[in-house]
Amino acid sequence: MIKKLLIANRGEIALRIIRAARELGIRTVAVYSEADRASLHVRFADEAVCIGPAAGKLSYLNIPSIIAAAEVTNADAIHPGYGFLAENATFAEICLESNLTFVGPSADSINRMGNKSVAKETMQAAGVPVVPGSEGIVESIDDARRVAEQVGYPVMLKAVAGGGGKGMRYVETAADLDRAYATARGEAEAAFGNGDVYIEKFIEEPRHIEIQVFADAHGNVVHLNERECSIQRRHQKLIEEAPSPIMTPELRAAMGEAAVKGTRSVDYRGAGTIEFLVDKHRNFYFMEMNTRIQVEHPVTEQSMGYDLIQEQLIVAAGERLTIQQKDPVLHSIECRINAEDPYKDFRPSPGRIESLNFPGGPGVRVDSHIYQGYTIPPHYDSMVAKLITFAPTRTEAIAKMRRALDEFVIEGIETTLPFHRKMMVNKDFIAGTFDTKYLDTHDWKA
Ligand code: MV4
């Protein structure tokens, strides 16, 4: 087993990983930037090493500095968390060369899923349904026009180097294609240094439903059912739940089987997520594979009764999976509490937490790194807490969430708490009849 784990991250996920490691008897090393000296992950780890100035590029993305911290502390493994270096194939490779276990898939798996067009072809070859569109990238505007006519408008142009909504263009009709093709290529080139794009038929009013997968180094692959992630704003998820309110046993079996096939076909190891678009007829299409643990992993943990971070550490050490594929046990919902003002277009609101009360009681979990007197630095992500509830039914999980949101006090900064309080009494949310466009087309305050 791993003896000493370095956590190459900050905030709530760093704390979450320290907690999982400690329960397994694994020693922990925190790394931190100059802006994070007063962070809880620094206090709760067995050791802590400063790796650079506040800017992410100079600290949490600084590979030589992180590897040096692992070497001076004699760590034997690195957990990258999510964001930062979590899906950086070069980092995974350097860990391997430095005799450090990277808690995640191989550099090769990361690379194969990082190019979105290659990922799509790989999944299609494995028998996973994909959105009709170009075979690989479109080589020219003529190629683009031909494919778009063939699949029918509207279509989407997507950057092969993109993902999560970056480098995407909606194309309503043939008259818009020339301009959209040029801007998509230009944006992708500027953002990723790779202007290549591919085309897909546009799926109307889709839901974003993803399947959690897990694989060990012995050829065992399981799925842990779905998470519903359609409540998003500008491609930022705000509420997630497991199971999805639209799921049927048949659809779950079909999506789960597709996810396992896809995972097997890339020789995957560790925790991964297969993202699907689901249309109103409950057809599902592969979108992307995330080769990391995700922010919303707690809803799967609470729905299934497993510790996914511990499972990552177990399979990274070369041991067999200890979790089993099975139906969901409980319903779980997560609200992301961000330091943002929902009344001012979700503008960031960093600053000092003057007073704080976390909710508690049965069926309530808070994953957070904040404390009274803590100052949220302006340099990083605005998420300050995840509030998770779980109960036998969705109705009960929502009731618990309302009660927990009422107990949650954060003073000194603006947060998304008022948004969540409103959503938990929203009739479309309660009915489960929302798609990915919901927050961009409905005023949450109404
Ligand atoms: C789509 C789509 C409709 N049709 N692809 C957005 C995130 C990126 N991973 C892919 N996205 C979409 N791809 C086709 N062919 C609609 C979206 C989309 C979306 C997807 C998931 C969650 C929220 C979304 C919000 C707007 C658009």
Side-chain angles (χ1 to χ4, degrees), residues 158 165 168 200-201 203 208 232 235 277 287-288 436:
K158 296 186 176 184
M168 244 174 41
E200 285 184 349
K201 181 161 185 64
I203 307 296
H208 174 138
Q232 314 198 352
H235 303 300
L277 289 176
M287 196 164 41
E288 288 171 24
T436 51

Side-chain angles (χ1 to χ4, degrees), residues 111-279:
N111 271 327
R112 286 165 75 179
M113 293 299 112
N115 180 312
K116 304 304 165 190
S117 168
V118 170
K120 190 178 171 185
E121 287 180 83
T122 306
M123 290 297 156
Q124 186 171 22
V128 180
V130 301
V131 184
S134 54
E135 276 179 48
I137 62 172
V138 285
E139 302 282 358
S140 64
I141 181 68
D142 290 337
D143 198 14
R145 199 170 294 115
R146 182 183 58 76
V147 177
E149 294 296 340
Q150 192 198 320
V151 301
Y153 287 92
V155 298
M156 292 286 258
L157 290 171
K158 296 186 176 184
V160 301
K166 279 178 285 178
M168 244 174 41
R169 266 277 174 295
Y170 171 75
V171 190
E172 176 93 53
T173 70
D176 308 322
L177 186 65
D178 283 39
R179 185 206 281 252
Y181 181 73
T183 48
R185 285 199 57 93
E187 273 181 24
E189 181 65 47
F192 315 114
N194 177 355
D196 288 345
V197 296
Y198 61 105
I199 289 195
E200 285 184 349
K201 181 161 185 64
F202 180 72
I203 307 296
E204 311 270 352
E205 297 167 27
R207 296 176 78 114
H208 174 138
I209 300 181
E210 56 190 32
I211 304 283
Q212 176 73 54
V213 293
F214 239 103
D216 67 20
H218 305 273
N220 302 300
V221 183
V222 297
H223 76 81
L224 300 175
N225 305 313
E226 77 282 3
R227 291 186 288 263
E228 167 67 66
C229 304
S230 297
I231 300 290
Q232 314 198 352
R233 191 182 161 277
R234 301 187 184 164
H235 303 300
Q236 293 297 317
K237 295 171 184 167
L238 283 164
I239 302 172
E240 303 98 342
E241 60 184 305
S244 166
I246 66 142
M247 195 50 62
T248 63
E250 296 73 28
L251 181 59
R252 176 176 294 129
M255 291 180 73
E257 198 185 311
V260 168
K261 267 198 297 192
T263 303
R264 220 178 260 295
S265 81
V266 291
D267 254 325
Y268 198 78
R269 194 191 59 212
T273 298
I274 314 263
E275 296 184 353
F276 292 100
L277 289 176
V278 180
D279 71 17

Side-chain angles (χ1 to χ4, degrees), residues 156-439:
M156 292 286 258
L157 290 171
K158 296 186 176 184
V160 301
K166 279 178 285 178
M168 244 174 41
R169 266 277 174 295
Y170 171 75
V171 190
E172 176 93 53
T173 70
D176 308 322
L177 186 65
D178 283 39
R179 185 206 281 252
Y181 181 73
T183 48
R185 285 199 57 93
E187 273 181 24
E189 181 65 47
F192 315 114
N194 177 355
D196 288 345
V197 296
Y198 61 105
I199 289 195
E200 285 184 349
K201 181 161 185 64
F202 180 72
I203 307 296
E204 311 270 352
E205 297 167 27
R207 296 176 78 114
H208 174 138
I209 300 181
E210 56 190 32
I211 304 283
Q212 176 73 54
V213 293
F214 239 103
D216 67 20
H218 305 273
N220 302 300
V221 183
V222 297
H223 76 81
L224 300 175
N225 305 313
E226 77 282 3
R227 291 186 288 263
E228 167 67 66
C229 304
S230 297
I231 300 290
Q232 314 198 352
R233 191 182 161 277
R234 301 187 184 164
H235 303 300
Q236 293 297 317
K237 295 171 184 167
L238 283 164
I239 302 172
E240 303 98 342
E241 60 184 305
S244 166
I246 66 142
M247 195 50 62
T248 63
E250 296 73 28
L251 181 59
R252 176 176 294 129
M255 291 180 73
E257 198 185 311
V260 168
K261 267 198 297 192
T263 303
R264 220 178 260 295
S265 81
V266 291
D267 254 325
Y268 198 78
R269 194 191 59 212
T273 298
I274 314 263
E275 296 184 353
F276 292 100
L277 289 176
V278 180
D279 71 17
K280 53 177 164 294
H281 310 294
R282 291 201 174 84
N283 297 306
F284 64 92
Y285 309 92
F286 170 79
M287 196 164 41
E288 288 171 24
M289 181 172 191
N290 299 319
T291 56
R292 60 168 190 274
I293 194 78
Q294 289 187 255
V295 174
E296 60 271 28
H297 76 276
V299 296
T300 299
E301 294 189 318
Q302 298 308 146
S303 167
M304 302 294 288
Y306 293 143
D307 185 317
L308 298 189
I309 306 291
Q310 291 190 352
E311 198 67 17
Q312 283 189 296
L313 299 174
I314 291 165
V315 303
E319 294 179 29
R320 287 174 185 279
L321 282 176
T322 69
I323 58 176
Q324 275 134 39
Q325 191 169 307
K326 62 179 182 184
D327 285 336
V329 180
L330 296 177
H331 197 98
S332 180
I333 305 177
E334 170 176 283
C335 290
R336 295 194 191 187
I337 318 300
N338 297 339
E340 295 171 359
D341 186 347
Y343 296 102
K344 294 196 172 126
D345 205 32
F346 292 79
R347 165 211 301 176
S349 175
R352 186 170 186 273
I353 312 271
E354 300 296 346
S355 94
L356 180 67
N357 184 64
F358 283 160
V364 175
R365 165 176 170 183
V366 180
D367 279 19
S368 176
H369 60 295
I370 65 173
Y371 55 86
Q372 200 155 313
Y374 175 68
T375 298
I376 296 152
H379 313 281
Y380 313 105
D381 190 275
S382 67
M383 194 176 72
V384 297
K386 303 189 297 202
L387 172 57
I388 302 114
T389 62
F390 45 97
T393 66
R394 184 169 191 266
T395 305
E396 292 164 285
I398 294 173
K400 277 188 189 291
M401 188 62 83
R402 281 193 208 116
R403 185 273 285 173
L405 286 164
D406 287 342
E407 291 178 13
F408 212 143
V409 179
I410 305 179
E411 284 172 347
I413 58 165
E414 301 304 326
T415 73
T416 50
L417 282 167
F419 162 82
H420 290 296
R421 290 185 184 119
K422 197 87 188 175
M423 285 304 291
M424 290 303 131
V425 295
N426 175 305
K427 70 175 186 354
D428 297 312
F429 180 77
I430 291 167
T433 55
F434 48 82
D435 62 48
T436 51
K437 280 208 322 255
Y438 192 81
L439 286 186

